[in-house]
C-alpha cells in the first residue's frame, strides 16, 4: 500500500496543471471556455463531480480559472450520491480532500429507484441524475451546470449517431435546459483529449472511481447495448488512425463544416427541410461545374 506522504500533494497536483500539462489540458480548457463562451460574468456554476477522473480534473481546472479570470463568477462543487457503496463514497471524499476541492454532497435514491427496471435502466438513471443535479444547482442559486465530457466523447458520439442512429449530430459544448428555464449545461472539457486526462491522473498517482454504478455487473452480463456500441466505435477510430493520423480531428471538424447545399435533408428547430424545397429556385445561383 502506498505511503500517503510519498504521494504528490495538492500543491504538486496544481503545479502539474500549470506546467507539465499546461498545453494539453489547461490551454484546451481555456480555449473551450473562450471559443464557446461557456463562462460569463456573474455566472454561478455547479461543477458536477461523479468521482471519476474527468470531473475531478474539471473541478481543479475551475479552481485555477478562478485564480486567473478577468471577471467575477462563482462555482459550487456538487456531488450526488445516488446510492454508492460506502467504499466508493469514501473514495470520492478522500480524493476531494486530497485535491482541495470543497464538495457539497447530497443524496438521492436513484439506484434503488431504477434497480428493478428491466428496459433501459442506464438511460433512465442518467436522466434522473441530470434532473437531480439541475435541482441541486438551482437550490444553490446556480445558473449553469458543468459536466466533464471530453473530446473523445464528442467524436465517438458523432460516429455513433451516424452508424447506429442514422443521423448527423454532435454533443454540443453548451445547451439551454428545456425542463429548467434559465439554466444551461456546459461542457468545458470539450477540447481535452482523454489520453491527456489519463496522463495527468497517472503522473500525480491518483486513483478515481472507474464506475460505481450498481448495474455494472448486470450490464456486463446483459452486454449493455450503448456501451457495446461505444467500444466498437473506439476500436474503429483507433484502427482508422493507423492509416490517417488526422482522422480524429477530421471527425470533430466535420460537424463544423456542414455544407447544407450538399445535404439531402436536415432538421432545424424540429422542422425537417429537404433540398427540393428550393432546388429549382436556386437554378440560376450556380450548379455543378462541368
Amino acid at each position: 500500500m502506498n505511503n500517503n506522504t510519498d504521494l504528490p500533494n495538492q500543491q504538486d497536483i496544481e503545479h502539474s496543471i500549470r506546467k507539465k500539462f499546461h498545453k494539453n489540458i489547461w490551454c484546451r480548457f481555456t480555449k473551450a471556455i473562450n471559443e464557446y463562451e461557456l463562462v460569463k460574468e456573474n455566472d454561478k456554476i455547479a461543477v458536477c463531480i461523479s468521482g471519476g477522473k474527468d470531473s475531478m480534473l474539471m473541478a481543479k481546472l475551475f479552481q485555477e480559472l478562478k485564480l486567473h479570470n478577468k471577471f467575477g463568477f462563482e462555482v459550487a462543487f456538487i456531488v450526488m450520491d445516488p446510492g454508492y457503496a460506502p467504499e466508493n463514497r469514501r473514495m470520492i471524499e478522500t480524493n476531494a480532500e486530497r485535491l482541495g476541492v470543497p464538495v457539497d454532497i447530497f443524496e438521492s435514491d436513484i439506484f434503488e429507484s431504477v434497480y428493478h427496471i428491466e428496459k433501459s435502466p442506464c438511460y433512465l438513471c442518467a436522466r434522473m441524475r441530470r434532473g437531480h443535479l439541475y435541482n441541486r444547482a438551482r437550490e444553490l442559486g446556480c445558473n449553469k451546470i458543468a459536466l466533464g465530457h471530453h473530446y473523445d466523447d464528442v467524436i465517438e458520439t458523432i460516429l455513433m449517431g451516424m452508424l447506429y442512429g442514422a443521423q448527423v449530430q454532435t454533443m454540443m459544448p453548451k445547451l439551454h435546459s428545456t425542463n429548467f428555464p434559465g439554466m444551461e449545461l456546459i461542457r468545458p472539457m470539450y477540447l481535452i483529449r482523454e489520453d491527456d486526462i489519463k496522463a495527468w491522473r497517472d503522473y500525480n498517482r491518483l486513483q478515481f472511481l472507474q464506475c460505481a454504478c450498481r448495474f455494472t455487473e448486470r450490464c456486463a452480463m446483459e452486454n449493455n447495448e450503448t456501451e457495446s456500441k461505444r467500444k466498437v466505435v473506439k476500436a474503429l477510430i483507433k484502427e482508422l488512425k493507423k492509416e490517417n493520423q488526422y482522422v480524429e480531428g477530421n471527425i470533430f471538424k466535420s460537424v463544423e463544416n456542414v455544407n447544407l447545399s450538399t445535404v439531402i435533408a436536415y432538421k432545424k428547430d424540429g422542422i425537417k427541410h429537404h433540398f427540393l424545397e428550393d432546388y429549382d429556385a436556386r437554378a440560376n445561383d450556380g450548379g455543378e461545374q462541368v
Side-chain angles (χ1 to χ4, degrees), residues 48 64 69 84 105 168 173 189 200 241 248 253 255:
C48 301
E64 192 70 18
N69 221 45
Y84 289 141
I105 302 180
V168 177
M189 307 279 282
W200 170 80
K241 191 177 178 182
E248 293 155 310
K253 291 175 183 175
V255 292

Side-chain angles (χ1 to χ4, degrees), residues 13-24 26:
I13 294 167
E14 292 167 350
H15 186 264
S16 73
I17 292 173
R18 299 183 190 121
K19 297 298 181 179
K20 182 174 179 61
F21 298 99
H22 180 83
K23 179 180 178 182
N24 289 344
W26 173 249

Side-chain angles (χ1 to χ4, degrees), residues 52-116:
K53 66 186 189 312
D54 309 324
S55 59
M56 282 293 193
L57 173 57
M58 179 174 64
K60 293 307 299 178
L61 291 170
F62 265 109
Q63 286 183 321
E64 192 70 18
L65 188 66
K66 285 278 293 177
L67 296 175
H68 301 289
N69 221 45
K70 297 177 182 179
F71 55 81
F73 70 95
E74 297 299 323
V75 292
F77 302 101
I78 65 173
V79 178
M80 184 186 64
D81 181 347
Y84 289 141
E87 60 270 23
N88 291 328
R89 169 79 173 250
R90 282 195 298 271
M91 176 177 279
I92 293 174
E93 293 170 336
T94 300
N95 279 328
E97 182 177 357
R98 181 182 170 194
L99 292 169
V101 178
V103 293
D104 168 53
I105 302 180
F106 68 101
E107 297 176 354
S108 73
D109 61 353
I110 291 177
F111 282 176
E112 189 64 33
S113 298
V114 302
Y115 187 69
H116 298 290

Side-chain angles (χ1 to χ4, degrees), residues 134-147:
Y134 270 121
N135 269 321
R136 184 59 176 171
R138 189 163 58 181
E139 289 173 2
L140 295 173
C142 299
N143 63 309
K144 294 178 179 178
I145 67 169
L147 301 184

Side-chain angles (χ1 to χ4, degrees), residues 274-283:
H274 197 277
F275 85 102
L276 288 177
E277 290 174 4
D278 61 352
Y279 176 75
D280 290 329
R282 291 189 293 112

Side-chain angles (χ1 to χ4, degrees), residues 187-202:
R187 295 183 169 105
M189 307 279 282
Y190 203 78
L191 301 178
I192 300 177
R193 298 304 311 266
E194 185 175 24
D195 282 346
D196 292 319
I197 299 172
K198 290 177 178 177
W200 170 80
R201 175 199 64 192
D202 296 343

